[in-house]
Amino acid sequence: MDELQQTRTTAAQGLALPQVPDTKPEEPDVEKQQDFSKYYAEHMGKLIRHLMRQGAEPHEAAEAAQSAFVEAYATWRKIEYPGPWLRRVAFRHLLRQPIREVLSGELPDTASPQCPVRNVEIRQEEERVLAALSELPPAQRRVMAWHLDNYSTKEIAEELEATQEAVRKNLERARKQLKQSLGIAEGGKQ
């Protein structure tokens, strides 16, 4: 059982997880709504991908990302760096989701044409990368997910409350294992 499943099992058993403070929604603000809507449209797919890189199934990632955006809307003007904030909160929501039984067969069509999972079209090579990422230890997978979202080593260390050296080491090990899993030679060719 990997770290994500263990943490979710712990949450299901009622043990305490870090809490995100509750906030009271502000009064409606047209400018705020437009800014939020634009950010949502541009970044929802990226947030879902980020969670999938950490081992979440597409529907789990979409649900956690949506929950994070709902929470963000309440205090949108107060969030200084929405990218890292949303990633932290979405990951917490992912950890709080109950473990669901995997159903066989096709997923039903969604009633909404705005389903966030539809914004994440996974190409064949991305599927290979996601499969290779799933083989990484949880710490390496988390660091690599942030790295693939173009965060610096320093930013990753701050967000994950780790040292920069630990982040660099995890990145180095993750890259080495990913190259091996994907059949990429040292020169970068398959």
Side-chain angles (χ1 to χ4, degrees):
M1 180 182 290
D2 73 11
E3 182 182 54
L4 179 60
Q5 288 177 328
Q6 286 177 324
T7 307
R8 291 169 80 188
T9 301
T10 301
Q13 293 170 346
L15 299 176
L17 285 175
Q19 297 295 315
V20 177
D22 291 331
T23 55
K24 185 177 180 179
E26 299 172 357
E27 293 298 316
D29 177 347
V30 174
E31 185 180 327
K32 171 186 163 181
Q33 288 174 343
Q34 290 172 342
D35 180 44
F36 180 84
S37 295
K38 182 179 176 187
Y39 193 89
Y40 179 91
E42 291 176 12
H43 295 274
M44 179 56 133
K46 294 175 186 178
L47 184 56
I48 292 170
R49 269 195 178 86
H50 177 81
L51 295 170
M52 288 172 61
R53 290 175 181 150
Q54 294 191 60
E57 293 294 323
H59 65 279
E60 295 171 325
E63 188 174 318
Q66 182 66 28
S67 296
F69 269 104
V70 167
E71 196 168 323
Y73 184 75
T75 59
W76 186 244
R77 291 269 186 232
K78 296 176 185 174
I79 299 172
E80 194 170 342
Y81 301 105
W85 189 94
L86 283 163
R87 282 165 176 74
R88 281 191 315 270
V89 173
F91 187 72
R92 289 179 192 148
H93 280 283
L94 178 65
L95 294 176
R96 290 185 189 123
Q97 288 180 2
I99 298 172
R100 296 192 179 127
E101 182 180 331
V102 178
L103 302 175
S104 59
E106 303 252 341
L107 290 175
D109 286 337
T110 171
S112 169
Q114 297 297 347
C115 177
V117 178
R118 289 186 183 181
N119 294 333
V120 183
E121 294 181 24
I122 301 173
R123 297 183 312 258
Q124 195 171 24
E125 55 269 8
E126 279 185 290
E127 287 179 6
R128 285 186 57 220
V129 172
L130 288 173
L133 283 169
S134 72
E135 295 173 7
L136 295 175
Q140 291 177 19
R141 191 170 49 223
R142 278 193 84 196
V143 167
M144 187 55 75
W146 282 83
H147 175 72
L148 292 171
D149 285 345
N150 298 317
Y151 285 91
S152 71
T153 304
K154 181 181 178 185
E155 292 169 323
I156 296 169
E158 289 171 2
E159 294 302 323
L160 300 181
E161 297 177 350
T163 64
Q164 287 187 49
E165 181 59 31
V167 170
R168 280 192 289 274
K169 207 53 144 161
N170 278 316
L171 277 173
E172 177 185 325
R173 290 175 180 156
R175 284 182 182 126
K176 183 177 179 180
Q177 186 169 338
L178 286 172
K179 284 179 182 180
Q180 185 179 7
S181 295
L182 296 171
I184 299 173
E186 285 300 315
K189 297 182 181 179
Q190 290 184 330

